[in-house]
Amino acid sequence: MWRYKHVLPDAAPVSLGEGWTPVIRSRRYSGVFLKEEGANPTGSFKARGMSMAVTMARHYGLKKLAAPSAGNAAGALAAYAAAAGIEAYIFMPKDVPFANYLEAVLYGANVTLSMA
């Protein structure tokens, strides 16, 4: 997405290589194309938004970020915050899929599990 920097805020990007994900023709429906967002660094389309959000947070000098998440946003925030040197605090329900929890923890986020 940073190839469009001329229309984005003037800030040094926090990027992990998101974007340039392939467009695939549907096998089931002719004329339908699908964007394969799993090729993003954190495995979902959330990488794009978190890249911009963390870029702007760093630009404005924020040192800590927090978000509730039951899935992919947690991993994306944790990854981009780590890349920017910003602390991440993530609040997840206790029954969140273990992979989502683990991703956030492995990126160094402070994860709090709570009742849903």
Side-chain angles (χ1 to χ4, degrees):
M1 72 181 185
W2 296 105
R3 68 181 183 259
Y4 302 111
K5 65 182 176 184
H6 62 282
V7 297
L8 295 174
D10 187 20
V14 176
S15 178
L16 297 172
E18 62 289 327
W20 296 102
T21 56
V23 175
I24 301 167
R25 182 183 297 273
S26 172
R27 290 186 213 152
R28 182 178 290 172
Y29 302 104
S30 64
V32 173
F33 294 84
L34 308 166
K35 190 79 166 139
E36 205 291 277
E37 294 293 312
N40 275 311
T42 60
S44 84
F45 73 97
K46 301 286 186 175
R48 296 174 194 270
M50 282 301 178
S51 175
M52 178 57 74
V54 173
T55 291
M56 296 312 297
R58 183 176 70 181
H59 177 76
Y60 288 113
L62 299 177
K63 304 293 182 202
K64 298 177 183 181
L65 300 174
S69 177
N72 296 325
L77 174 58
Y80 285 91
I86 296 174
E87 288 182 59
Y89 293 84
I90 299 169
F91 301 89
M92 306 176 99
K94 279 188 175 183
D95 60 352
V96 70
F98 184 70
N100 294 107
Y101 166 79
L102 187 60
E103 181 180 27
V105 169
L106 290 176
Y107 276 117
N110 300 288
V111 179
T112 301
L113 297 175
S114 62
M115 297 299 289

